[in-house]
Amino acid sequence: MPHPVHILPAINALADALRNYISAYTQIAVLVDENTQQHCYPLLREHLPAHHLIQIKSGEEQKHLGTCQHIWQCLTDWGFDRKGLLINLGGGVIGDMGGFCAATYKRGIAFLQLPTTLLAQVDASVGGKLGIDFMGYKNHIGVFQDPLAVLVYPAFINTLSDRELRSGFAEIIKHCLIRDKNKWLEIAHRPLKDQHFSDLIAHSIDIKKAVVEEDPTEKGLRKILNFGHTIGHAIETHFLGKENRLLHGEAIAVGMIAENYLAAKRGWISIDECESIAQHIMRLFGKVALSEDDIAQSLPHALQDKKNEKGAIQASLLGAVGNCGYNHAIALSEIEEALQWYAALPSA
Ligand SMILES: NC(=O)c1ccc[n+]([C@@H]2O[C@H](COP(=O)([O-])OP(=O)(O)OC[C@H]3O[C@@H](n4cnc5c(N)ncnc54)[C@H](O)[C@@H]3O)[C@@H](O)[C@H]2O)c1
């Protein structure tokens, strides 16, 4: 039975849903970072019974074992037993890591996901993937585990920076490109500030839920959700820890453009479609400057992709706009060629 995802348009509806889920729990902890503590927690505090607050520093750099130890330590110090509940109030980092800590603490306690970034609302909070980064590799250690529920309050995104909002929008673009060509055509021409976010959040969640329900543990179809991520993750990992670090969605924007080149090369989408999508995405995201060194140093990271089988890189590529296939073997030299093609594109 898949976990419920509730989209709650008003704060009262969020409070009611929250009350409903937490009523069975006496030990409750809320995990926040400094930004969600400032912008989101005040909206919830009055609707929660007595609880503990775990605050961690924001950012992908915190998504590691050391932070998990701190979270497990807090739960242990407060005497949490297996009937405890962890509420993850934050973006994808809080959701992935808090969920991972809950799923492994005393072999698993219940957790609620309250995603507060656009990216987490449309992607990270649905599908039960939890985990942390390890040795520089994204989401290298983790588990599949469903939360009690996901409570999506779209208005949380109102306090996001433009850059974070745009990063989340990349996953909305992805969902349209893999499943809904008409929606893609609808959003492609609209500036970010004019997008209808509440609608798009619901649309993306519907797509992701439908795919995940068909293939919860990513044996097949679910891999289409990784469109843009084979090359995107390699680029993201390369820039991790550098001054010009990319946000997840910014890297995925590059990945979608580069992977479309591989689909066009195979004749599955036309080169016109491929270039038009690239122009629309770059108009929103700008173009990431990729030197020959950046490209060369990104390539080995593609070999760590979790979709790879027996050492072969497997990508999810568009078979048409609005339709995506998976398990397509691609050579490292093709990724290099695709990134060189990207690097040579005119800026939008
Ligand atoms: N589990 C999955 O299926 C899945 C899918 C996609 C991405 N992810 C993961 O999600 C992570 C990225 O998520 P993210 O982009 O949400 O990053 P994030 O959690 O780091 O949040 C981005 C920034 O926004 C701040 N923030 C969060 N909510 C805010 C709000 N309402 N107002 C103001 N600031 C706010 C955070 O403090 C942080 O500084 C990555 O680690 C990625 O691997 C997981």
Side-chain angles (χ1 to χ4, degrees):
M1 174 75 183
H3 62 275
V5 179
H6 303 281
I7 302 181
L8 304 150
I11 192 71
N12 289 344
L14 174 63
D16 288 347
L18 200 56
R19 256 192 301 274
N20 183 30
Y21 280 107
I22 63 183
S23 59
Y25 297 89
T26 47
Q27 293 177 310
I28 298 171
V30 181
L31 178 65
V32 292
D33 63 29
E34 73 279 8
N35 296 317
T36 62
Q37 180 169 17
Q38 182 189 346
H39 297 294
C40 310
Y41 178 63
L43 299 175
L44 290 193
R45 193 173 29 206
E46 60 181 292
H47 303 291
L48 291 170
H51 60 276
H52 295 278
L53 192 66
I54 309 175
Q55 204 232 56
I56 60 169
K57 282 195 209 136
S58 65
E60 185 72 32
E61 318 74 61
Q62 308 303 324
K63 198 179 169 187
H64 59 69
L65 208 50
T67 315
C68 293
Q69 275 175 335
H70 171 66
I71 297 168
W72 288 319
Q73 179 80 56
C74 289
L75 297 175
T76 306
D77 289 348
W78 296 327
F80 268 53
D81 58 29
R82 289 180 73 181
K83 292 279 189 295
L85 171 74
L86 183 64
I87 300 177
N88 297 315
L89 180 65
V93 169
I94 292 263
D96 279 15
M97 184 162 51
F100 175 68
C101 287
T104 48
Y105 179 76
K106 298 196 175 176
R107 297 206 183 88
I109 60 170
F111 61 101
L112 273 176
Q113 300 293 54
L114 268 70
T116 61
T117 62
L118 182 59
L119 186 125
Q121 293 189 349
V122 300
D123 192 5
S125 63
V126 183
K129 281 188 182 176
L130 309 168
I132 53 170
D133 303 336
F134 186 66
M135 290 173 62
Y137 294 113
K138 292 258 313 159
N139 304 324
H140 204 62
I141 306 293
V143 294
F144 281 101
Q145 179 70 56
D146 282 337
L148 215 48
V150 181
L151 307 184
V152 179
Y153 178 51
F156 275 143
I157 69 171
N158 294 344
T159 51
L160 283 180
S161 67
D162 289 350
R163 193 174 171 201
E164 292 292 353
L165 189 72
R166 199 180 59 169
S167 172
F169 195 66
E171 300 290 352
I172 289 180
I173 293 176
K174 178 193 80 180
H175 288 133
C176 294
L177 288 176
I178 61 173
R179 276 272 158 135
D180 190 341
K181 180 176 181 177
N182 288 338
K183 200 67 161 182
W184 160 247
L185 295 175
E186 192 184 311
I187 65 169
H189 297 274
R190 212 176 269 152
L192 194 60
K193 64 177 179 33
D194 296 336
Q195 298 290 347
H196 305 149
F197 283 107
S198 288
D199 275 4
L200 291 175
I201 290 167
H203 176 260
S204 265
I205 288 176
D206 280 351
I207 289 178
K208 180 149 187 189
K209 269 188 75 186
V211 172
V212 168
E213 278 169 24
E214 214 173 299
D215 175 22
T217 52
E218 204 164 305
K219 300 279 184 285
L221 180 73
R222 183 169 176 169
K223 294 179 189 176
I224 68 171
L225 297 170
N226 285 304
F227 165 60
H229 285 59
T230 301
I231 298 183
H233 267 163
I235 292 284
E236 185 178 12
T237 304
H238 166 66
F239 283 106
L240 213 64
K242 294 202 168 39
E243 228 167 65
N244 47 350
R245 180 174 105 68
L246 295 175
L247 297 184
H248 180 70
E250 293 168 342
I252 298 315
V254 177
M256 290 190 286
I257 295 172
E259 291 180 17
N260 276 350
Y261 170 81
L262 299 181
K265 220 182 122 187
R266 287 161 172 74
W268 297 339
I269 61 173
S270 70
I271 192 71
D272 282 355
E273 285 174 314
C274 171
E275 285 177 355
S276 151
I277 293 170
Q279 288 305 309
H280 283 304
I281 293 178
M282 286 197 305
R283 205 166 34 239
L284 270 175
F285 285 83
K287 190 175 157 196
V288 175
L290 289 181
S291 66
E292 278 298 326
D293 279 352
D294 290 325
I295 294 175
Q297 289 165 21
S298 297
L299 295 179
H301 297 305
L303 295 171
Q304 286 294 333
D305 194 277
K306 284 179 277 303
K307 293 183 303 304
N308 296 351
E309 282 179 23
K310 299 192 183 108
I313 302 171
Q314 309 268 338
S316 302
L317 302 177
L318 296 189
V321 180
N323 200 324
C324 191
Y326 55 91
N327 283 354
H328 298 301
I330 57 174
L332 215 49
S333 57
E334 285 189 291
I335 299 183
E336 184 176 21
E337 184 185 330
L339 286 173
Q340 281 165 346
W341 173 80
Y342 173 91
L345 281 171
S347 297

